[in-house]
Amino acid sequence: MQRGALLDAARALLSEGGTEALTFPALAERTGLARSSVYEYFRSRAAVVEELCAVDFPVWAAEVEVAMDGADTPQGKVEAYVRKQLELVGDRRHRAVVAISASELDDGAREKIRAAHGGLVAMIVEALAALGQSQPRLGAMLLQGVVDAAVRRIELGAAENPEEIADAAVTMALHGVDGTPS
Protein backbone atom coordinates (compact mmCIF):
# COMPACT_ATOMS: atom_id res chain seq x y z
CA MET A 1 0.00 0.00 0.00
CA GLN A 2 2.77 2.48 0.92
CA ARG A 3 4.74 1.40 -2.14
CA GLY A 4 1.79 2.34 -4.35
CA ALA A 5 1.47 5.72 -2.63
CA LEU A 6 5.18 6.33 -3.15
CA LEU A 7 4.89 5.47 -6.84
CA ASP A 8 1.88 7.78 -7.21
CA ALA A 9 3.85 10.54 -5.52
CA ALA A 10 6.85 9.86 -7.78
CA ARG A 11 4.62 10.08 -10.88
CA ALA A 12 3.21 13.38 -9.69
CA LEU A 13 6.64 14.81 -8.89
CA LEU A 14 8.10 13.76 -12.24
CA SER A 15 5.06 15.05 -14.06
CA GLU A 16 5.13 18.41 -12.32
CA GLY A 17 8.83 19.12 -12.06
CA GLY A 18 10.84 16.56 -13.99
CA THR A 19 13.61 14.46 -12.54
CA GLU A 20 14.94 17.25 -10.32
CA ALA A 21 11.67 17.14 -8.39
CA LEU A 22 12.00 13.42 -7.62
CA THR A 23 13.77 13.46 -4.26
CA PHE A 24 13.29 11.33 -1.19
CA PRO A 25 12.36 14.35 0.96
CA ALA A 26 9.70 15.29 -1.61
CA LEU A 27 8.41 11.70 -1.70
CA ALA A 28 8.24 11.67 2.08
CA GLU A 29 6.39 14.98 2.16
CA ARG A 30 3.87 13.88 -0.51
CA THR A 31 3.10 10.62 1.23
CA GLY A 32 3.32 11.75 4.84
CA LEU A 33 6.06 9.23 5.52
CA ALA A 34 9.34 9.85 7.26
CA ARG A 35 12.27 10.11 4.85
CA SER A 36 13.80 7.03 6.46
CA SER A 37 10.61 5.11 5.61
CA VAL A 38 11.03 5.95 1.93
CA TYR A 39 14.45 4.27 2.05
CA GLU A 40 12.79 1.11 3.39
CA TYR A 41 10.95 0.81 0.07
CA PHE A 42 13.53 2.17 -2.37
CA ARG A 43 17.30 2.29 -2.04
CA SER A 44 17.70 5.13 -4.57
CA ARG A 45 15.96 7.36 -7.09
CA ALA A 46 17.03 4.87 -9.75
CA ALA A 47 15.12 2.14 -7.89
CA VAL A 48 12.00 4.31 -7.95
CA VAL A 49 12.50 4.87 -11.68
CA GLU A 50 13.00 1.16 -12.33
CA GLU A 51 9.78 0.29 -10.55
CA LEU A 52 7.83 3.02 -12.35
CA CYS A 53 9.05 1.60 -15.63
CA ALA A 54 8.17 -1.93 -14.58
CA VAL A 55 4.66 -0.88 -13.53
CA ASP A 56 3.72 1.89 -15.97
CA PHE A 57 5.38 1.04 -19.24
CA PRO A 58 3.50 -2.25 -19.78
CA VAL A 59 0.18 -0.47 -19.18
CA TRP A 60 1.10 2.26 -21.65
CA ALA A 61 2.31 -0.29 -24.22
CA ALA A 62 -0.90 -2.30 -23.80
CA GLU A 63 -2.94 0.80 -24.62
CA VAL A 64 -0.90 1.30 -27.80
CA GLU A 65 -1.34 -2.35 -28.70
CA VAL A 66 -5.12 -2.20 -28.20
CA ALA A 67 -5.28 0.84 -30.48
CA MET A 68 -3.25 -0.98 -33.11
CA ASP A 69 -5.41 -4.10 -32.82
CA GLY A 70 -8.42 -1.95 -33.71
CA ALA A 71 -6.91 -1.07 -37.09
CA ASP A 72 -7.58 -3.24 -40.13
CA THR A 73 -4.68 -2.25 -42.38
CA PRO A 74 -0.92 -1.88 -41.89
CA GLN A 75 -1.30 1.88 -42.53
CA GLY A 76 -4.04 2.01 -39.91
CA LYS A 77 -1.78 0.20 -37.44
CA VAL A 78 1.02 2.70 -38.05
CA GLU A 79 -1.40 5.58 -37.57
CA ALA A 80 -2.79 4.04 -34.37
CA TYR A 81 0.76 3.44 -33.08
CA VAL A 82 1.67 7.09 -33.58
CA ARG A 83 -1.62 8.67 -32.48
CA LYS A 84 -2.07 6.58 -29.33
CA GLN A 85 1.41 7.39 -28.07
CA LEU A 86 0.85 11.09 -28.70
CA GLU A 87 -2.58 10.91 -27.06
CA LEU A 88 -0.92 9.49 -23.95
CA VAL A 89 1.42 12.49 -23.63
CA GLY A 90 -0.97 14.16 -21.19
CA ASP A 91 -1.22 11.05 -19.02
CA ARG A 92 0.81 11.27 -15.78
CA ARG A 93 2.33 7.85 -16.41
CA HIS A 94 3.63 9.03 -19.75
CA ARG A 95 4.95 12.32 -18.45
CA ALA A 96 6.78 10.36 -15.78
CA VAL A 97 8.32 8.00 -18.36
CA VAL A 98 9.39 10.98 -20.51
CA ALA A 99 10.96 12.69 -17.49
CA ILE A 100 12.65 9.45 -16.52
CA SER A 101 14.14 8.87 -19.94
CA ALA A 102 15.80 12.29 -19.81
CA SER A 103 17.38 11.75 -16.41
CA GLU A 104 20.74 10.54 -15.28
CA LEU A 105 20.19 6.93 -14.27
CA ASP A 106 22.33 3.98 -13.42
CA ASP A 107 22.95 1.27 -16.00
CA GLY A 108 20.27 -1.06 -14.58
CA ALA A 109 17.55 1.57 -14.86
CA ARG A 110 18.67 2.55 -18.35
CA GLU A 111 18.61 -1.07 -19.46
CA LYS A 112 15.04 -1.50 -18.19
CA ILE A 113 13.95 1.59 -20.10
CA ARG A 114 15.69 0.35 -23.26
CA ALA A 115 14.03 -3.05 -22.92
CA ALA A 116 10.60 -1.47 -22.42
CA HIS A 117 11.08 0.76 -25.47
CA GLY A 118 12.26 -2.26 -27.43
CA GLY A 119 8.97 -3.98 -26.67
CA LEU A 120 7.05 -0.95 -27.89
CA VAL A 121 9.07 -0.74 -31.11
CA ALA A 122 8.60 -4.48 -31.69
CA MET A 123 4.83 -3.94 -31.89
CA ILE A 124 5.07 -2.06 -35.18
CA VAL A 125 7.62 -4.22 -37.01
CA GLU A 126 5.02 -6.54 -38.56
CA ALA A 127 2.96 -3.64 -39.94
CA LEU A 128 6.07 -2.08 -41.46
CA ALA A 129 7.02 -5.40 -43.05
CA ALA A 130 3.51 -5.64 -44.50
CA LEU A 131 4.01 -2.16 -45.98
CA GLY A 132 7.12 -3.42 -47.79
CA GLN A 133 9.85 -2.02 -45.54
CA SER A 134 13.03 -3.88 -46.44
CA GLN A 135 14.36 -3.42 -42.88
CA PRO A 136 11.22 -3.28 -40.72
CA ARG A 137 13.09 -3.36 -37.39
CA LEU A 138 15.22 -0.38 -38.40
CA GLY A 139 12.11 1.32 -39.79
CA ALA A 140 10.35 0.74 -36.46
CA MET A 141 13.20 2.38 -34.55
CA LEU A 142 13.18 5.35 -36.90
CA LEU A 143 9.39 5.61 -36.64
CA GLN A 144 9.72 5.69 -32.87
CA GLY A 145 12.17 8.56 -33.34
CA VAL A 146 9.43 10.50 -35.17
CA VAL A 147 7.05 9.74 -32.30
CA ASP A 148 9.64 10.78 -29.71
CA ALA A 149 10.25 14.07 -31.54
CA ALA A 150 6.50 14.72 -31.66
CA VAL A 151 6.24 13.93 -27.94
CA ARG A 152 8.97 16.46 -27.17
CA ARG A 153 7.22 19.05 -29.34
CA ILE A 154 3.96 18.52 -27.45
CA GLU A 155 5.71 18.51 -24.07
CA LEU A 156 7.42 21.81 -24.90
CA GLY A 157 4.07 23.44 -25.57
CA ALA A 158 4.94 24.14 -29.19
CA ALA A 159 3.03 26.71 -31.24
CA GLU A 160 1.12 23.93 -32.98
CA ASN A 161 -1.66 22.22 -31.09
CA PRO A 162 -1.17 18.53 -30.22
CA GLU A 163 -3.59 17.40 -32.95
CA GLU A 164 -1.56 19.24 -35.62
CA ILE A 165 1.60 17.64 -34.30
CA ALA A 166 -0.06 14.20 -34.36
CA ASP A 167 -1.29 14.78 -37.92
CA ALA A 168 2.20 15.82 -39.04
CA ALA A 169 3.78 12.80 -37.32
CA VAL A 170 1.31 10.41 -38.98
CA THR A 171 1.93 12.04 -42.38
CA MET A 172 5.69 11.73 -41.86
CA ALA A 173 5.30 8.11 -40.80
CA LEU A 174 3.11 7.12 -43.72
CA HIS A 175 4.30 9.38 -46.53
CA GLY A 176 7.83 10.51 -45.68
CA VAL A 177 9.30 13.95 -45.94
CA ASP A 178 7.44 14.97 -49.08
CA GLY A 179 4.18 14.64 -47.14
CA THR A 180 2.23 13.27 -50.08
CA PRO A 181 0.75 9.81 -50.41
CA SER A 182 2.63 7.61 -52.86
Side-chain angles (χ1 to χ4, degrees):
M1 181 150 143
Q2 297 291 3
R3 186 182 273 315
L6 287 165
L7 291 175
D8 284 342
R11 281 182 202 98
L13 290 165
L14 286 165
S15 173
E16 295 163 10
T19 54
E20 301 79 34
L22 180 60
T23 65
F24 278 27
L27 284 171
E29 183 179 327
R30 287 274 175 128
T31 57
L33 295 172
R35 190 180 336 175
S36 60
S37 296
V38 176
Y39 283 99
E40 290 177 26
Y41 292 94
F42 299 103
R43 68 190 183 299
S44 65
R45 283 177 8 138
V48 175
V49 166
E50 286 181 46
E51 186 140 346
L52 280 173
C53 283
V55 171
D56 290 348
F57 207 92
V59 174
W60 181 28
E63 291 180 39
V64 173
E65 189 168 30
V66 166
M68 289 175 62
D69 287 345
D72 296 330
T73 65
Q75 292 90 342
K77 290 184 183 307
V78 169
E79 182 169 356
Y81 178 85
V82 172
R83 287 194 186 280
K84 189 60 176 181
Q85 286 188 70
L86 297 179
E87 178 186 311
L88 291 170
V89 169
D91 185 293
R92 267 188 10 179
R93 291 169 298 154
H94 179 268
R95 287 196 307 254
V97 169
V98 169
I100 287 165
S101 64
S103 68
E104 296 175 17
L105 302 172
D106 66 25
D107 290 340
R110 284 199 188 285
E111 185 53 40
K112 286 191 176 173
I113 290 170
R114 274 192 292 275
H117 263 267
L120 188 62
V121 167
M123 280 189 232
I124 198 65
V125 170
E126 185 177 325
L128 293 177
L131 287 170
Q133 282 284 321
S134 62
Q135 295 182 31
R137 176 89 178 134
L138 175 58
M141 289 184 275
L142 295 173
L143 173 59
Q144 187 60 44
V146 169
V147 172
D148 292 344
V151 165
R152 284 189 300 279
R153 190 96 182 132
I154 291 169
E155 289 280 329
L156 289 172
E160 308 86 7
N161 71 47
E163 189 60 33
E164 288 174 313
I165 294 169
D167 290 346
V170 168
T171 298
M172 177 71 73
L174 292 174
H175 307 294
V177 295
D178 68 4
T180 58
S182 44

